[in-house]
Amino acid sequence: MAEFMNISDTVTDFARSLFDRVSAFEPAGQVKLCGTVSKISDNVARVINLPGRCYGELLRFSDTIWGIALDLEENGVGAVLLNPGDTVCVGDMVHATGHPVDTAVSDNVLGRILSPIGTAIDGKPFKPQRYAPIERPAPGLISRRPVDTPMDTGILAIDSMIPIGKGQRELIIGDRQTGKTTIAVDAILNQKGKNVICIYCAIGQKASTIAQIAQTFEKNGAMEYTTIIAATAADSPAMQYLAPYAACTIGEEFMKEGRDVLVVYDDLSKHAVAYRTMSLLLHRPPGREAYPGDVFYLHSRLLERSACMAHSEGGGSMTALPIIETTGGNISAYIPTNVISITDGQIYLESELFHSGVRPAINTGLSVSRVGRAAQYPAMRKVSGLLRIALAQYKEMAIFSRFGSDLDENTKRTLAKGEKLTAIFKQTKSRPYALSEEIVLLLANQSDIFDIIPSDRMQKAIPSLLEYCKTHIPGALKIIDTTGDMDQSVQTTLVSVMKEWAAEFAGNL
Amino acid sequence: MSRAILQVAPGTSEETVAGICASFRDLLQQEVVFTVKEKPELIGGFIAEVDGKVYDNSLSGKMQALKKWMLGDM
């Protein structure tokens, strides 16, 4: 009976509370702005008599169909629909929302696959906590500080020769099927446990590809700190146009809280094509390669929002890895040159290297990081100094050696060392290296540890060396991982253990 | 002179409709020709679409607004 009375009291209190809240509501008529669809074709609608319209304003055609006002005319707007407009007819009412396109931003976007306008597409319910406009000005000069903290990708060739810092924009460029997405995905996988929020923005990709990438993230525990923003190839050009800006906005919100963010835009070539499609349908004048005149601004305003913020602004950072697909290895085409000039360096992937088994297929001659060694750990600086030169010398000698069979000892030694260095830089997909592993491999190269190992045994030797060091000197590796530096005693210990390993490995051959 | 659409709930009397039309003529200070339609979804009240604006004084609109208001505070 007492329990029944308690429940009854609770219900009464709840009912009273609900009644009080409803009573506080003041019902009033609403006045909304609206226009009329005068023309609809190819997912572009002309809306007339829409007062107070703004550029980039979100328009509601129905409960499920939205559009963006991108063309302002004297008595109407040209609006690009975000959803298929099969049910939109001439004469339909269009309501202006009074605000620009926005997307969901909050901590609960982590681990989710969302559309650019903040709806869930991973089949689970999603309630956005806040919205933020997708177009915002980039941080000014005073709010920034120089890039000086490494962003580990876990890919040895990049961390040693093309180092990326937090807040940098590093372009990944190459032909189709050269491993561009793999590099970006591996960089995300390597952020596990490093307190970096990752956002993967898929633009114009196949839904099956995005599902595979999501599965890779799930399998490797990366999904808990990653958000995927997806505008697939089946989505409208307007959705594909919005996707990178939505991803950037989500990243900016985390950056404002002082956190480090890594955003991957995969890929901006498809983004430019979607923007071209929209612009041509809006009858904007075409320029070079039929792209509109502001295609540079399309990418520059996106990438300028990635920054390393000053400590007075929270000290957060947003690192961008935009991806561009070239055709026939031509990096001097229109969109590639635009984005190369915007970013702080590029990682150039070659089909020839990929097909010859060098993966990641990075052309270290054409790749560069304009931030450079400022974004490297002290330990890495000690072991990576002459790598580019060594590789360049090896490539030159390798071409030269094809023409003759009589080579002197020096040349043979250089060739052998170059082959082993190339083998060191080969890396399995989805297996990023820890900093200590990278230092071990480069120190082994620097100290000529691999000299007694035949070139064709390198692929077995490398994991064996890493395993040996983890077993025999875990303390030294931990010092490197935690401090990012390696003093003389640690270096000496490492070299002597590696020599022991080399003798044992060579003896067992 | 402008054209407008007036949607009313079923059962709204002709006097009430005439009163609404007269109010809008006074508000807009011009002659307005109304096309009147009955819409059961409104439950009560009316929705008028005039000169690029939608004046929503329907019961269903107010209930939607109440729902948004309640959810907004949760």
PDB file of all heavy atoms in Angstrom, chain A residues 195-220:
ATOM      1  N   ASN A 195      44.782  11.009 -28.072  1.00  0.00           N
ATOM      2  CA  ASN A 195      43.887  12.135 -27.786  1.00  0.00           C
ATOM      3  C   ASN A 195      43.723  13.071 -28.990  1.00  0.00           C
ATOM      4  O   ASN A 195      43.699  14.298 -28.852  1.00  0.00           O
ATOM      5  CB  ASN A 195      44.421  12.931 -26.581  1.00  0.00           C
ATOM      6  CG  ASN A 195      43.320  13.716 -25.918  1.00  0.00           C
ATOM      7  OD1 ASN A 195      42.151  13.395 -26.059  1.00  0.00           O
ATOM      8  ND2 ASN A 195      43.689  14.779 -25.232  1.00  0.00           N
ATOM      9  N   VAL A 196      43.626  12.466 -30.164  1.00  0.00           N
ATOM     10  CA  VAL A 196      43.384  13.253 -31.384  1.00  0.00           C
ATOM     11  C   VAL A 196      42.031  12.818 -31.941  1.00  0.00           C
ATOM     12  O   VAL A 196      41.780  11.640 -32.129  1.00  0.00           O
ATOM     13  CB  VAL A 196      44.493  13.007 -32.424  1.00  0.00           C
ATOM     14  CG1 VAL A 196      44.166  13.711 -33.737  1.00  0.00           C
ATOM     15  CG2 VAL A 196      45.840  13.481 -31.899  1.00  0.00           C
ATOM     16  N   ILE A 197      41.169  13.790 -32.201  1.00  0.00           N
ATOM     17  CA  ILE A 197      39.860  13.492 -32.814  1.00  0.00           C
ATOM     18  C   ILE A 197      40.087  13.383 -34.318  1.00  0.00           C
ATOM     19  O   ILE A 197      40.778  14.227 -34.905  1.00  0.00           O
ATOM     20  CB  ILE A 197      38.860  14.643 -32.555  1.00  0.00           C
ATOM     21  CG1 ILE A 197      38.752  14.954 -31.085  1.00  0.00           C
ATOM     22  CG2 ILE A 197      37.500  14.351 -33.178  1.00  0.00           C
ATOM     23  CD1 ILE A 197      37.960  13.975 -30.303  1.00  0.00           C
ATOM     24  N   CYS A 198      39.512  12.376 -34.932  1.00  0.00           N
ATOM     25  CA  CYS A 198      39.687  12.205 -36.377  1.00  0.00           C
ATOM     26  C   CYS A 198      38.350  12.315 -37.082  1.00  0.00           C
ATOM     27  O   CYS A 198      37.326  11.856 -36.576  1.00  0.00           O
ATOM     28  CB  CYS A 198      40.293  10.828 -36.670  1.00  0.00           C
ATOM     29  SG  CYS A 198      41.940  10.653 -35.978  1.00  0.00           S
ATOM     30  N   ILE A 199      38.384  12.955 -38.248  1.00  0.00           N
ATOM     31  CA  ILE A 199      37.173  13.076 -39.067  1.00  0.00           C
ATOM     32  C   ILE A 199      37.539  12.652 -40.476  1.00  0.00           C
ATOM     33  O   ILE A 199      38.473  13.200 -41.076  1.00  0.00           O
ATOM     34  CB  ILE A 199      36.661  14.525 -39.080  1.00  0.00           C
ATOM     35  CG1 ILE A 199      36.376  14.986 -37.651  1.00  0.00           C
ATOM     36  CG2 ILE A 199      35.404  14.660 -39.936  1.00  0.00           C
ATOM     37  CD1 ILE A 199      36.171  16.465 -37.513  1.00  0.00           C
ATOM     38  N   TYR A 200      36.819  11.662 -40.977  1.00  0.00           N
ATOM     39  CA  TYR A 200      37.054  11.205 -42.346  1.00  0.00           C
ATOM     40  C   TYR A 200      35.877  11.663 -43.193  1.00  0.00           C
ATOM     41  O   TYR A 200      34.738  11.278 -42.945  1.00  0.00           O
ATOM     42  CB  TYR A 200      37.180   9.673 -42.381  1.00  0.00           C
ATOM     43  CG  TYR A 200      37.398   9.132 -43.770  1.00  0.00           C
ATOM     44  CD1 TYR A 200      38.670   9.134 -44.340  1.00  0.00           C
ATOM     45  CD2 TYR A 200      36.340   8.648 -44.521  1.00  0.00           C
ATOM     46  CE1 TYR A 200      38.866   8.669 -45.622  1.00  0.00           C
ATOM     47  CE2 TYR A 200      36.537   8.178 -45.810  1.00  0.00           C
ATOM     48  CZ  TYR A 200      37.802   8.191 -46.359  1.00  0.00           C
ATOM     49  OH  TYR A 200      37.997   7.734 -47.639  1.00  0.00           O
ATOM     50  N   CYS A 201      36.161  12.500 -44.190  1.00  0.00           N
ATOM     51  CA  CYS A 201      35.102  13.045 -45.036  1.00  0.00           C
ATOM     52  C   CYS A 201      35.159  12.366 -46.396  1.00  0.00           C
ATOM     53  O   CYS A 201      36.129  12.543 -47.132  1.00  0.00           O
ATOM     54  CB  CYS A 201      35.284  14.556 -45.181  1.00  0.00           C
ATOM     55  SG  CYS A 201      34.064  15.283 -46.267  1.00  0.00           S
ATOM     56  N   ALA A 202      34.132  11.603 -46.703  1.00  0.00           N
ATOM     57  CA  ALA A 202      34.086  10.883 -47.979  1.00  0.00           C
ATOM     58  C   ALA A 202      33.206  11.664 -48.944  1.00  0.00           C
ATOM     59  O   ALA A 202      32.037  11.902 -48.664  1.00  0.00           O
ATOM     60  CB  ALA A 202      33.519   9.484 -47.763  1.00  0.00           C
ATOM     61  N   ILE A 203      33.793  12.068 -50.077  1.00  0.00           N
ATOM     62  CA  ILE A 203      33.067  12.885 -51.052  1.00  0.00           C
ATOM     63  C   ILE A 203      32.968  12.115 -52.363  1.00  0.00           C
ATOM     64  O   ILE A 203      33.990  11.804 -52.986  1.00  0.00           O
ATOM     65  CB  ILE A 203      33.823  14.208 -51.316  1.00  0.00           C
ATOM     66  CG1 ILE A 203      34.130  14.916 -50.000  1.00  0.00           C
ATOM     67  CG2 ILE A 203      33.024  15.115 -52.239  1.00  0.00           C
ATOM     68  CD1 ILE A 203      35.286  15.867 -50.076  1.00  0.00           C
ATOM     69  N   GLY A 204      31.754  11.788 -52.756  1.00  0.00           N
ATOM     70  CA  GLY A 204      31.551  11.147 -54.050  1.00  0.00           C
ATOM     71  C   GLY A 204      32.086   9.731 -54.141  1.00  0.00           C
ATOM     72  O   GLY A 204      32.308   9.220 -55.246  1.00  0.00           O
ATOM     73  N   GLN A 205      32.293   9.077 -52.991  1.00  0.00           N
ATOM     74  CA  GLN A 205      32.829   7.704 -53.025  1.00  0.00           C
ATOM     75  C   GLN A 205      31.681   6.706 -53.104  1.00  0.00           C
ATOM     76  O   GLN A 205      30.537   7.035 -52.811  1.00  0.00           O
ATOM     77  CB  GLN A 205      33.584   7.431 -51.724  1.00  0.00           C
ATOM     78  CG  GLN A 205      34.597   8.476 -51.403  1.00  0.00           C
ATOM     79  CD  GLN A 205      35.965   7.907 -51.361  1.00  0.00           C
ATOM     80  OE1 GLN A 205      36.180   6.768 -51.765  1.00  0.00           O
ATOM     81  NE2 GLN A 205      36.907   8.676 -50.882  1.00  0.00           N
ATOM     82  N   LYS A 206      32.046   5.470 -53.414  1.00  0.00           N
ATOM     83  CA  LYS A 206      31.034   4.405 -53.416  1.00  0.00           C
ATOM     84  C   LYS A 206      30.644   4.118 -51.965  1.00  0.00           C
ATOM     85  O   LYS A 206      31.495   4.146 -51.071  1.00  0.00           O
ATOM     86  CB  LYS A 206      31.620   3.111 -54.003  1.00  0.00           C
ATOM     87  CG  LYS A 206      31.918   3.184 -55.481  1.00  0.00           C
ATOM     88  CD  LYS A 206      32.409   1.841 -56.002  1.00  0.00           C
ATOM     89  CE  LYS A 206      33.795   1.532 -55.489  1.00  0.00           C
ATOM     90  NZ  LYS A 206      34.397   0.387 -56.158  1.00  0.00           N
ATOM     91  N   ALA A 207      29.379   3.807 -51.758  1.00  0.00           N
ATOM     92  CA  ALA A 207      28.922   3.499 -50.399  1.00  0.00           C
ATOM     93  C   ALA A 207      29.642   2.256 -49.864  1.00  0.00           C
ATOM     94  O   ALA A 207      29.947   2.172 -48.674  1.00  0.00           O
ATOM     95  CB  ALA A 207      27.405   3.296 -50.393  1.00  0.00           C
ATOM     96  N   SER A 208      29.951   1.314 -50.752  1.00  0.00           N
ATOM     97  CA  SER A 208      30.634   0.083 -50.312  1.00  0.00           C
ATOM     98  C   SER A 208      32.042   0.408 -49.816  1.00  0.00           C
ATOM     99  O   SER A 208      32.522  -0.163 -48.835  1.00  0.00           O
ATOM    100  CB  SER A 208      30.709  -0.934 -51.448  1.00  0.00           C
ATOM    101  OG  SER A 208      31.370  -0.372 -52.565  1.00  0.00           O
ATOM    102  N   THR A 209      32.703   1.360 -50.461  1.00  0.00           N
ATOM    103  CA  THR A 209      34.053   1.762 -50.028  1.00  0.00           C
ATOM    104  C   THR A 209      33.990   2.398 -48.647  1.00  0.00           C
ATOM    105  O   THR A 209      34.820   2.108 -47.779  1.00  0.00           O
ATOM    106  CB  THR A 209      34.657   2.762 -51.030  1.00  0.00           C
ATOM    107  OG1 THR A 209      34.557   2.236 -52.345  1.00  0.00           O
ATOM    108  CG2 THR A 209      36.096   3.090 -50.706  1.00  0.00           C
ATOM    109  N   ILE A 210      33.000   3.262 -48.442  1.00  0.00           N
ATOM    110  CA  ILE A 210      32.868   3.934 -47.141  1.00  0.00           C
ATOM    111  C   ILE A 210      32.561   2.897 -46.060  1.00  0.00           C
ATOM    112  O   ILE A 210      33.108   2.960 -44.950  1.00  0.00           O
ATOM    113  CB  ILE A 210      31.768   5.002 -47.192  1.00  0.00           C
ATOM    114  CG1 ILE A 210      32.111   6.066 -48.249  1.00  0.00           C
ATOM    115  CG2 ILE A 210      31.589   5.654 -45.829  1.00  0.00           C
ATOM    116  CD1 ILE A 210      30.992   7.034 -48.546  1.00  0.00           C
ATOM    117  N   ALA A 211      31.727   1.920 -46.400  1.00  0.00           N
ATOM    118  CA  ALA A 211      31.388   0.863 -45.427  1.00  0.00           C
ATOM    119  C   ALA A 211      32.639   0.071 -45.055  1.00  0.00           C
ATOM    120  O   ALA A 211      32.863  -0.264 -43.883  1.00  0.00           O
ATOM    121  CB  ALA A 211      30.315  -0.057 -46.005  1.00  0.00           C
ATOM    122  N   GLN A 212      33.487  -0.177 -46.053  1.00  0.00           N
ATOM    123  CA  GLN A 212      34.735  -0.927 -45.794  1.00  0.00           C
ATOM    124  C   GLN A 212      35.659  -0.134 -44.878  1.00  0.00           C
ATOM    125  O   GLN A 212      36.270  -0.686 -43.952  1.00  0.00           O
ATOM    126  CB  GLN A 212      35.464  -1.123 -47.134  1.00  0.00           C
ATOM    127  CG  GLN A 212      35.605  -2.546 -47.542  1.00  0.00           C
ATOM    128  CD  GLN A 212      36.224  -2.665 -48.923  1.00  0.00           C
ATOM    129  OE1 GLN A 212      36.545  -1.688 -49.599  1.00  0.00           O
ATOM    130  NE2 GLN A 212      36.387  -3.876 -49.350  1.00  0.00           N
ATOM    131  N   ILE A 213      35.750   1.151 -45.133  1.00  0.00           N
ATOM    132  CA  ILE A 213      36.614   2.000 -44.303  1.00  0.00           C
ATOM    133  C   ILE A 213      36.077   2.046 -42.871  1.00  0.00           C
ATOM    134  O   ILE A 213      36.838   1.949 -41.901  1.00  0.00           O
ATOM    135  CB  ILE A 213      36.723   3.411 -44.915  1.00  0.00           C
ATOM    136  CG1 ILE A 213      37.536   3.344 -46.207  1.00  0.00           C
ATOM    137  CG2 ILE A 213      37.353   4.397 -43.949  1.00  0.00           C
ATOM    138  CD1 ILE A 213      37.489   4.583 -47.043  1.00  0.00           C
ATOM    139  N   ALA A 214      34.751   2.151 -42.749  1.00  0.00           N
ATOM    140  CA  ALA A 214      34.146   2.165 -41.406  1.00  0.00           C
ATOM    141  C   ALA A 214      34.447   0.863 -40.669  1.00  0.00           C
ATOM    142  O   ALA A 214      34.733   0.845 -39.465  1.00  0.00           O
ATOM    143  CB  ALA A 214      32.634   2.384 -41.514  1.00  0.00           C
ATOM    144  N   GLN A 215      34.408  -0.227 -41.426  1.00  0.00           N
ATOM    145  CA  GLN A 215      34.708  -1.533 -40.825  1.00  0.00           C
ATOM    146  C   GLN A 215      36.161  -1.602 -40.366  1.00  0.00           C
ATOM    147  O   GLN A 215      36.467  -2.164 -39.295  1.00  0.00           O
ATOM    148  CB  GLN A 215      34.460  -2.628 -41.872  1.00  0.00           C
ATOM    149  CG  GLN A 215      34.055  -3.940 -41.277  1.00  0.00           C
ATOM    150  CD  GLN A 215      33.723  -4.946 -42.359  1.00  0.00           C
ATOM    151  OE1 GLN A 215      34.292  -4.925 -43.459  1.00  0.00           O
ATOM    152  NE2 GLN A 215      32.822  -5.843 -42.071  1.00  0.00           N
ATOM    153  N   THR A 216      37.069  -1.044 -41.165  1.00  0.00           N
ATOM    154  CA  THR A 216      38.488  -1.011 -40.775  1.00  0.00           C
ATOM    155  C   THR A 216      38.656  -0.223 -39.485  1.00  0.00           C
ATOM    156  O   THR A 216      39.397  -0.629 -38.584  1.00  0.00           O
ATOM    157  CB  THR A 216      39.339  -0.368 -41.886  1.00  0.00           C
ATOM    158  OG1 THR A 216      39.118  -1.041 -43.100  1.00  0.00           O
ATOM    159  CG2 THR A 216      40.818  -0.371 -41.542  1.00  0.00           C
ATOM    160  N   PHE A 217      37.964   0.898 -39.383  1.00  0.00           N
ATOM    161  CA  PHE A 217      38.047   1.697 -38.168  1.00  0.00           C
ATOM    162  C   PHE A 217      37.504   0.926 -36.959  1.00  0.00           C
ATOM    163  O   PHE A 217      38.091   0.936 -35.875  1.00  0.00           O
ATOM    164  CB  PHE A 217      37.257   3.009 -38.318  1.00  0.00           C
ATOM    165  CG  PHE A 217      37.889   4.018 -39.250  1.00  0.00           C
ATOM    166  CD1 PHE A 217      37.115   4.970 -39.893  1.00  0.00           C
ATOM    167  CD2 PHE A 217      39.259   4.025 -39.484  1.00  0.00           C
ATOM    168  CE1 PHE A 217      37.688   5.910 -40.747  1.00  0.00           C
ATOM    169  CE2 PHE A 217      39.845   4.952 -40.333  1.00  0.00           C
ATOM    170  CZ  PHE A 217      39.044   5.893 -40.962  1.00  0.00           C
ATOM    171  N   GLU A 218      36.366   0.237 -37.176  1.00  0.00           N
ATOM    172  CA  GLU A 218      35.756  -0.537 -36.083  1.00  0.00           C
ATOM    173  C   GLU A 218      36.697  -1.631 -35.604  1.00  0.00           C
ATOM    174  O   GLU A 218      36.911  -1.813 -34.408  1.00  0.00           O
ATOM    175  CB  GLU A 218      34.470  -1.237 -36.590  1.00  0.00           C
ATOM    176  CG  GLU A 218      33.260  -0.372 -36.694  1.00  0.00           C
ATOM    177  CD  GLU A 218      32.560  -0.101 -35.372  1.00  0.00           C
ATOM    178  OE1 GLU A 218      33.007  -0.600 -34.316  1.00  0.00           O
ATOM    179  OE2 GLU A 218      31.580   0.654 -35.420  1.00  0.00           O
ATOM    180  N   LYS A 219      37.275  -2.324 -36.596  1.00  0.00           N
ATOM    181  CA  LYS A 219      38.131  -3.482 -36.274  1.00  0.00           C
ATOM    182  C   LYS A 219      39.361  -3.053 -35.481  1.00  0.00           C
ATOM    183  O   LYS A 219      39.851  -3.773 -34.625  1.00  0.00           O
ATOM    184  CB  LYS A 219      38.571  -4.138 -37.592  1.00  0.00           C
ATOM    185  CG  LYS A 219      38.900  -5.614 -37.486  1.00  0.00           C
ATOM    186  CD  LYS A 219      39.056  -6.239 -38.849  1.00  0.00           C
ATOM    187  CE  LYS A 219      40.515  -6.155 -39.259  1.00  0.00           C
ATOM    188  NZ  LYS A 219      40.843  -6.858 -40.487  1.00  0.00           N
ATOM    189  N   ASN A 220      39.879  -1.872 -35.776  1.00  0.00           N
ATOM    190  CA  ASN A 220      41.101  -1.406 -35.122  1.00  0.00           C
ATOM    191  C   ASN A 220      40.835  -0.450 -33.977  1.00  0.00           C
ATOM    192  O   ASN A 220      41.754   0.202 -33.493  1.00  0.00           O
ATOM    193  CB  ASN A 220      42.017  -0.732 -36.167  1.00  0.00           C
ATOM    194  CG  ASN A 220      42.563  -1.726 -37.161  1.00  0.00           C
ATOM    195  OD1 ASN A 220      43.497  -2.466 -36.900  1.00  0.00           O
ATOM    196  ND2 ASN A 220      41.958  -1.769 -38.340  1.00  0.00           N
TER     197      ASN A 220
END
